[in-house]
Amino acid sequence: MRITTLSTWALAATLLLGACSKKNSEETEPDMVIPPDPGPIAASAADRVYLADQSSNTVSVHDPSTNRLLGVIRLGKGRPEFLSPLYDKESNVHGLGVSPDGKTLGVIATLTNAVIFIDLATNTVKGKVYVDRNPHEGFFSPDGRQFWVAVRGKDYVTVIDVEKMQVVKNIATEHEPSMVVFRPDGKVAFVDHSETATLDVIDVKKREVIARVPVVSKFSPNLVVTEDGQQVWMTHKDVGKVTVVNAQTYAVEGVIDTGPGTNHVNMAGPGGGTRFSGASAGDFAYVTVGGENAVKVYSRQRQLLATIPVGANPHGVWPNGDGSKLYVGLENGDALVSIDTKTNTKLTETGSGQAPQALLYVVKAGGGSPGASGLEAFTPVTPVNIRLVPVGTQPVPGVGGGATIRPTEDLDEMVLALKQLAANTTYTLYLSDSKTALVAPEPVISFKTDDGGAVEVNAYYQIRLRLAGRFAVVVLGDKNPAGAVTLTQP
């Protein structure tokens, strides 16, 4: 049936008005209904610790009441299997966020651009949302309705409607956002970056940046907002610093020299008493410093209070429900460590998945009934960590670093981290049976250093047969042995 011209115009006008009304209603978000803060919650057998394991592409599930690895949620094959076609599996499992009710875990796989939502009562995937290039870290909004993820390969934060399992908005930010966290009142979110020396402040209701705070370095992998909503602590891995920003006025309060490989930060302690007088729960910042294999403890006034040796390259960090304990993932140790925040000492170390990155402690996981089904058995294997030192006359004084070697499903993974080499120079990694001479060196991988003469690169090789003896790692600037930079096990 054909509609008359007048009716057509009337219908069009109605549709247009409806569309305009709908558009205007979507300009801002409604006010969040945020559950009240329950305060400190004592540990229970229903609590769980989750780690995102980058090399095994799993989520490790630990019972902190028994210090036991219960199993893993497998999201993909272990490295280097991601070099083959991936039709339904995920790779580079890296970031984590949990819903306020503790029932849903959001997992970010950076290589497959996926946000995977896991039901913590059954340990099963209940939905996936694919976003743009290289998402890094994300978190649920305080009301649990949305999941915001920083898309590191782009210049925006993606907003996911968790119920609909679909992207509803991209919020423009500075280049390469790295992580997004919310102030407890839900009014603003803070975003750090990987290639921009700025902290972005987003009005959550308007979904737009309202302030940009200049910071000391362009590379910040992690940040946290204090429980009282007064401060933002953000790490700078490239320069070994932490910037503290006032979360209300957005002014920089100070910068701390924390140490090489400064990675994640969280607030905790002391829960049950402390040797620091006048302190209360959440009054301390715990910073993982990978280059020193330690966690450093700072007061809210940026004073160093303690340094806790924990193991090989600490990465993710999260407190339990009352702040009395802190949990740390060892990226190069494939383990979970617990810390007593009253004494600031290491308590336990438990084997975990491979190359753990983000870490979450979830109080009453699964709504108080964390499931045991859906978990796959996993046998932890302690990686071999080799500290590399210069041998003989070095063309670049102070060259050093280390290598972490772990078995994957088919080959061995070597993560090589070097520093103070020549800047922007191509090197080749060789293995040699001799510590002092180039005896039948075998090339493994070539790489190029950055502007500061540093590099972190992964190589895959059948190395494990060599580990029974000692071998030299030889890095050559070119084919000429006279110009070689030689590093070896001490």
Side-chain angles (χ1 to χ4, degrees):
M1 177 179 177
R2 186 170 180 176
I3 303 176
T4 63
T5 303
L6 181 60
S7 298
T8 302
W9 277 107
L11 178 61
T14 301
L15 292 173
L16 180 60
L17 288 173
C20 289
S21 175
K22 182 178 179 182
K23 180 179 179 182
N24 289 336
S25 70
E26 291 178 348
E27 288 298 323
T28 61
E29 279 287 287
D31 291 331
M32 288 187 182
V33 179
I34 302 174
D37 184 355
I41 303 175
S44 76
D47 296 353
R48 294 289 181 268
V49 180
Y50 300 90
L51 294 91
D53 309 317
Q54 187 167 267
S55 285
S56 54
N57 285 314
T58 56
V59 174
S60 294
V61 183
H62 290 256
D63 181 350
S65 69
T66 59
N67 295 315
R68 189 164 60 98
L69 173 64
L70 300 179
V72 300
I73 304 168
R74 183 166 292 282
L75 300 176
K77 293 185 177 180
R79 288 175 168 176
E81 282 294 310
F82 62 74
L83 299 176
S84 61
L86 291 172
Y87 300 110
D88 61 349
K89 302 298 182 183
E90 309 306 333
S91 182
N92 234 49
V93 173
H94 191 95
L96 295 177
V98 67
S99 59
D101 60 9
K103 293 181 179 181
T104 305
L105 188 70
V107 184
I108 298 170
T110 65
L111 281 182
T112 43
N113 303 332
V115 181
I116 307 105
F117 294 96
I118 296 175
D119 184 336
L120 295 184
T122 61
N123 298 311
T124 57
V125 175
K126 63 180 185 179
K128 294 183 182 182
V129 178
Y130 290 95
V131 296
D132 216 320
R133 183 179 178 86
N134 198 231
H136 183 243
E137 291 278 3
F139 220 83
F140 283 83
S141 56
D143 62 0
R145 294 171 52 244
Q146 299 174 343
F147 190 86
W148 289 33
V149 57
V151 182
R152 201 180 233 180
K154 293 292 183 178
D155 54 0
Y156 49 75
V157 168
T158 290
V159 180
I160 297 171
D161 184 305
V162 178
E163 182 179 358
K164 296 178 180 178
M165 289 288 171
Q166 65 182 32
V167 173
V168 294
K169 181 73 173 179
N170 288 326
I171 304 173
T173 65
E174 289 284 11
H175 190 51
E176 293 198 14
S178 182
M179 187 174 182
V180 54
V181 295
F182 294 86
R183 202 168 63 191
D185 61 13
K187 294 181 178 179
V188 300
F190 297 94
V191 181
D192 59 356
H193 300 83
S194 298
E195 280 294 333
T196 311
T198 301
L199 176 69
D200 281 351
V201 184
I202 295 177
D203 184 305
V204 172
K205 190 172 183 179
K206 294 181 179 179
R207 292 177 169 176
E208 62 183 30
V209 174
I210 57 173
R212 288 196 160 103
V213 184
V215 293
V216 69
S217 164
K218 67 180 182 179
F219 182 45
S220 175
N222 190 257
L223 71 163
V224 67
V225 183
T226 57
E227 291 181 6
D228 60 8
Q230 296 301 307
Q231 289 180 326
V232 179
W233 287 59
M234 57 186 297
T235 61
H236 304 287
K237 190 172 184 176
D238 55 339
V239 294
K241 298 179 185 293
V242 167
T243 298
V244 181
V245 177
N246 188 299
Q248 301 292 328
T249 66
Y250 316 137
V252 174
E253 295 184 354
V255 179
I256 311 168
D257 290 317
T258 46
T262 293
N263 214 328
H264 284 209
V265 58
N266 218 319
M267 312 304 295
T274 180
R275 57 197 172 116
F276 305 119
S277 61
S280 60
D283 268 359
F284 304 109
Y286 286 77
V287 182
T288 56
V289 183
E292 297 181 13
N293 295 332
V295 173
K296 294 187 176 181
V297 189
Y298 294 88
S299 69
R300 291 279 291 271
Q301 293 72 41
R302 306 184 302 281
Q303 297 174 313
L304 177 63
L305 303 175
T307 298
I308 310 167
V310 290
N313 194 13
H315 196 119
V317 56
W318 208 272
N320 68 352
D322 62 9
S324 61
K325 289 183 181 178
L326 194 81
Y327 291 82
V328 180
L330 301 183
E331 181 178 353
N332 291 354
D334 295 356
L336 174 68
V337 166
S338 67
I339 290 173
D340 184 327
T341 62
K342 182 179 179 180
T343 61
N344 283 322
T345 55
K346 176 179 173 179
L347 294 174
T348 61
E349 181 172 328
T350 308
S352 190
Q354 294 182 314
Q357 306 293 301
L359 179 152
L360 286 176
Y361 186 106
V362 180
V363 175
K364 294 181 172 58
S369 300
S373 62
L375 298 180
E376 179 180 314
F378 187 89
T379 302
V381 178
T382 302
V384 175
N385 282 287
I386 303 170
R387 184 172 59 89
L388 303 177
V389 296
V391 174
T393 303
Q394 297 295 309
V396 183
V399 171
T404 297
I405 303 171
R406 59 169 59 88
T408 62
E409 293 189 4
D410 296 307
L411 297 173
D412 293 318
E413 176 185 66
M414 172 184 278
V415 182
L416 186 71
L418 300 176
K419 57 186 178 180
Q420 297 183 35
L421 294 167
N424 300 309
T425 301
T426 299
Y427 291 86
T428 299
L429 168 68
Y430 291 85
L431 295 182
S432 174
D433 291 324
S434 171
K435 296 184 65 177
T436 58
L438 300 180
V439 178
E442 298 179 51
V444 176
I445 191 172
S446 294
F447 54 84
K448 188 175 182 178
T449 57
D450 62 18
D451 293 343
V455 68
E456 184 168 331
V457 64
N458 288 18
Y460 297 92
Y461 195 76
Q462 291 182 331
I463 305 172
R464 69 191 70 185
L465 294 178
R466 294 178 171 272
L467 297 182
R470 299 168 67 86
F471 62 87
V473 177
V474 183
V475 183
L476 299 179
D478 51 35
K479 299 289 185 181
N480 179 11
V485 178
T486 305
L487 305 173
T488 186
Q489 292 177 255

